[in-house]
Amino acid sequence: MDPVSVLIVEDDERFRAAFAATITGAPDLKLIGTASDLPHGLLLLRELKPDVLLVDLGLPSGSGIELIRYAHGHLPQTDVMVVSVFGDEPHVMASLEAGATGYLLKDTHPADLAEQIRMLHAGGSPISPVIARQLLQRLAGDPTPPPDGEALLSPQERQVLTYSAKGFSFEEIARMLGVSRHTVMTYVKRSYRKLQVHSKTEAIYEARKLGLVRD
């Protein structure tokens, strides 16, 4: 049986390298190309016609949505998996409506990525739990009003999440706030518990949804 061919379009070099290492380490998957921007990604997509397109949304020269639309319209044999930091409803729905059949947040463990690609190629629709919960609530017309974010988190917890969303490490945040890393981690753990999440990406997503963190 031929290995599943995968094309990666991701502008962040660290993530691109991590994804590539995961795919090349799996005997049933085959990495056939990588691109860091929209034009190169579209060129490779047209030329290589992969079984699976692994694509980020926030590309420096455009949106990954354009690649999803092209694959959906011209390459029916290509399954599309979005791997992004964006977990808000507009990005998720735009991706699914454009033709993506999988959507993972970037906190997905690299070791799990290969299995998610296999699931996608086999006809499944792998979706990060926080995204799946959002979609289910949307379909169910969840009547529960959203919590008041200002009251939910303390000012210190909101500040840590804001800095974290801007890309600062916990060590850098501790220096900026003039506290220890242990104190910052205490704020982080409290935020996770209050927001009912288990990772930084999920916490930032929930905080954005509540209007606590803005780009």
Side-chain angles (χ1 to χ4, degrees), residues 14-15 84-87 105-108 130 153 157 160-173 181 184-185 187-189 191-193 195-208 213:
R14 294 169 301 168
F15 282 111
S84 176
V85 296
F86 298 115
L105 294 177
K106 281 186 175 177
D107 62 346
T108 300
V130 67
L153 300 182
E157 291 159 356
V160 168
L161 276 180
T162 297
Y163 283 137
S164 189
K166 293 180 182 297
F168 292 103
S169 69
F170 294 137
E171 289 81 3
E172 290 171 328
I173 295 171
R181 187 181 189 278
V184 169
M185 293 309 299
Y187 294 147
V188 169
K189 290 174 184 176
S191 299
Y192 286 9
R193 185 170 63 250
L195 296 171
Q196 299 180 18
V197 298
H198 305 284
S199 71
K200 182 172 74 172
T201 302
E202 288 181 317
I204 292 171
Y205 159 70
E206 292 291 346
R208 282 186 173 131
V213 172

Side-chain angles (χ1 to χ4, degrees), residues 106-117:
K106 281 186 175 177
D107 62 346
T108 300
H109 196 281
D112 296 331
L113 183 61
E115 186 55 38
Q116 304 286 12
I117 292 173

Side-chain angles (χ1 to χ4, degrees), residues 126-144:
I127 297 178
S128 289
V130 67
I131 303 297
R133 182 176 64 191
Q134 172 191 343
L135 293 176
L136 288 172
Q137 289 175 346
R138 187 177 192 270
L139 291 172
D142 187 2
T144 305

Side-chain angles (χ1 to χ4, degrees), residues 9-11 16 35-43 59-62 67:
V9 183
E10 165 63 61
D11 66 309
R16 192 167 65 247
S36 60
D37 58 32
L38 181 61
H40 190 203
L42 187 56
L43 177 65
L59 300 173
S61 50
L67 292 174

Side-chain angles (χ1 to χ4, degrees), residues 1-196:
M1 191 173 182
D2 292 334
V4 177
S5 60
V6 181
L7 170 64
I8 299 171
V9 183
E10 165 63 61
D11 66 309
D12 188 301
E13 186 177 351
R14 294 169 301 168
F15 282 111
R16 192 167 65 247
F19 298 160
T22 296
I23 293 165
T24 55
D28 57 335
L29 303 179
K30 181 181 180 182
L31 180 63
I32 59 172
T34 65
S36 60
D37 58 32
L38 181 61
H40 190 203
L42 187 56
L43 177 65
L44 292 182
L45 185 59
R46 287 170 173 161
E47 289 182 350
L48 302 177
K49 300 176 175 59
D51 295 320
V52 171
L53 168 65
L54 210 62
V55 61
D56 186 16
L57 296 181
L59 300 173
S61 50
S63 171
I65 296 289
E66 294 185 45
L67 292 174
I68 300 172
R69 288 198 184 107
Y70 182 87
H72 183 66
H74 299 85
L75 303 172
Q77 80 282 2
T78 298
D79 294 308
V80 180
M81 174 92 80
V82 174
V83 185
S84 176
V85 296
F86 298 115
D88 57 284
E89 185 173 315
H91 281 99
V92 174
M93 295 310 299
S95 299
L96 298 180
E97 288 168 0
T101 45
Y103 200 111
L104 301 177
L105 294 177
K106 281 186 175 177
D107 62 346
T108 300
H109 196 281
D112 296 331
L113 183 61
E115 186 55 38
Q116 304 286 12
I117 292 173
R118 295 184 189 103
M119 185 189 305
L120 181 77
H121 186 61
S125 296
I127 297 178
S128 289
V130 67
I131 303 297
R133 182 176 64 191
Q134 172 191 343
L135 293 176
L136 288 172
Q137 289 175 346
R138 187 177 192 270
L139 291 172
D142 187 2
T144 305
D148 180 358
E150 294 291 329
L152 185 63
L153 300 182
S154 72
Q156 295 89 347
E157 291 159 356
R158 294 199 303 271
Q159 195 168 26
V160 168
L161 276 180
T162 297
Y163 283 137
S164 189
K166 293 180 182 297
F168 292 103
S169 69
F170 294 137
E171 289 81 3
E172 290 171 328
I173 295 171
R175 287 197 296 271
M176 287 188 289
L177 297 182
V179 298
S180 68
R181 187 181 189 278
H182 175 75
T183 299
V184 169
M185 293 309 299
T186 298
Y187 294 147
V188 169
K189 290 174 184 176
R190 287 177 184 168
S191 299
Y192 286 9
R193 185 170 63 250
K194 291 176 180 179
L195 296 171
Q196 299 180 18

